[in-house]
Amino acid sequence: MGVFDRISRVLKASFDALVSEAEDPERVLEQAVAEMQDELIQLRQAVAQAIATQKRTERQCHQATATAAEWYQRAELALQVGDEALARDALTRRKSYQETVQMMQAQLEQQATIVQKLKRDMVTLESKIADARTRKDLYIARARSAQASQRLHAMLDQMNPQGAMQSFERMEQKVAELEARSAAIAELGQDDLAQRFAALEQGSDIDADLATLKHRLRPSSRLEPDGESSEA
């Protein structure tokens, strides 16, 4: 099964889990992105291994090519000294190395194709992970908003608007009673003050009447001989 098939299964399983109310959307999305990141790490390791194998094959191919060239030079040397049989053996060995080079070149072409495909897959996966992270943040924000809205609706459902209004009306009546008491106390205080001033004014009148009465009842001066009192 390919890398993207596994990623597709991971994402499908993650979003299927979101359907269940028992699952935490934020945790599931974080886990999905983490699994995709693990897939990317494995893919990078595969790319590195493929490149290492390609490099090793290239070195072996270069070595085989150099060895084939050496056997060709030996065949030339054998002919120069008149040893045709030795030259034939050298050419036979050279042909063996040439076949090895041809086989390795075919392998290199296959390995280059694999490396290029793995690199393209890795770039595609990195792009998908970046997109998944962006979508994850969006989905988490939406999930948190939905959960907050759900809690708010649940709280509103538990509230008793009628009872709340009754409480406000009861408090309004209580405040009105307190205001009435305060006004009554103020009014009583003003009446008491007025009564005190009235009593003071009344006391002044009584004092004046008392002084007049005392003056009238004061012992008269000595009577005149004709029986009339003298003027004071």
Side-chain angles (χ1 to χ4, degrees):
M1 182 176 294
V3 173
F4 293 108
D5 291 334
R6 292 197 298 272
I7 295 173
S8 177
R9 289 191 299 102
V10 169
L11 292 177
K12 185 177 184 302
S14 299
F15 286 111
D16 288 343
L18 289 176
V19 178
S20 173
E21 293 183 357
E23 293 289 341
D24 179 10
E26 186 170 349
R27 183 184 62 81
V28 172
L29 289 171
E30 292 286 0
Q31 181 178 358
V33 173
E35 291 179 359
M36 292 177 67
Q37 188 66 36
D38 290 340
E39 292 287 345
L40 177 61
I41 293 175
Q42 295 178 10
L43 184 56
R44 285 174 176 171
Q45 292 175 347
V47 171
Q49 184 176 2
I51 293 175
T53 301
Q54 183 183 22
K55 296 296 183 182
R56 184 170 59 252
T57 303
E58 287 177 352
R59 289 194 299 270
Q60 292 174 349
C61 183
H62 291 321
Q63 182 65 38
T65 300
T67 304
E70 290 177 359
W71 282 108
Y72 187 78
Q73 293 174 356
R74 290 173 181 174
E76 289 180 341
L77 180 61
L79 285 177
Q80 289 175 359
V81 297
D83 193 341
E84 185 175 344
L86 184 59
R88 181 181 296 274
D89 290 339
L91 290 174
T92 300
R93 186 67 61 86
R94 171 178 178 267
K95 181 176 178 56
S96 175
Y97 278 101
Q98 286 180 327
E99 291 175 351
T100 300
V101 169
Q102 291 177 354
M103 181 185 65
M104 288 184 176
Q105 287 176 344
Q107 290 180 356
L108 285 172
E109 291 179 359
Q110 294 177 355
Q111 290 172 352
T113 301
I114 292 174
V115 168
Q116 292 300 322
K117 183 179 183 303
L118 288 175
K119 287 182 176 180
R120 288 194 300 269
D121 291 345
M122 184 174 64
V123 172
T124 301
L125 181 55
E126 288 173 345
S127 176
K128 287 183 177 294
I129 290 177
D131 180 65
R133 285 175 175 168
T134 301
R135 292 165 59 191
K136 177 204 69 174
D137 295 337
L138 175 62
Y139 290 150
I140 288 176
R142 290 172 57 184
R144 290 177 179 176
S145 177
Q147 291 171 351
S149 178
Q150 183 178 0
R151 289 193 296 269
L152 177 60
H153 285 299
M155 182 179 66
L156 291 176
D157 290 340
Q158 293 176 358
M159 291 178 60
N160 183 5
Q162 187 65 28
M165 291 303 299
Q166 291 177 354
S167 297
F168 274 100
E169 292 174 356
R170 189 170 62 254
M171 290 301 100
E172 182 180 5
Q173 183 178 1
K174 186 70 174 178
V175 171
E177 291 178 357
L178 291 174
E179 290 176 346
R181 288 185 182 180
S182 177
I185 292 173
E187 185 177 353
L188 289 175
Q190 291 178 356
D191 290 345
D192 181 66
L193 183 62
Q195 290 175 2
R196 291 173 61 187
F197 273 104
L200 181 61
E201 293 172 355
Q202 184 178 4
S204 299
D205 294 340
I206 293 175
D207 290 341
D209 292 341
L210 181 60
T212 302
L213 182 60
K214 285 181 178 181
H215 180 72
R216 291 180 60 188
L217 296 179
R218 188 174 55 185
S220 58
S221 20
R222 190 175 297 174
L223 294 178
E224 297 294 333
D226 56 0
E228 294 182 357
S229 61
S230 63
E231 294 295 335

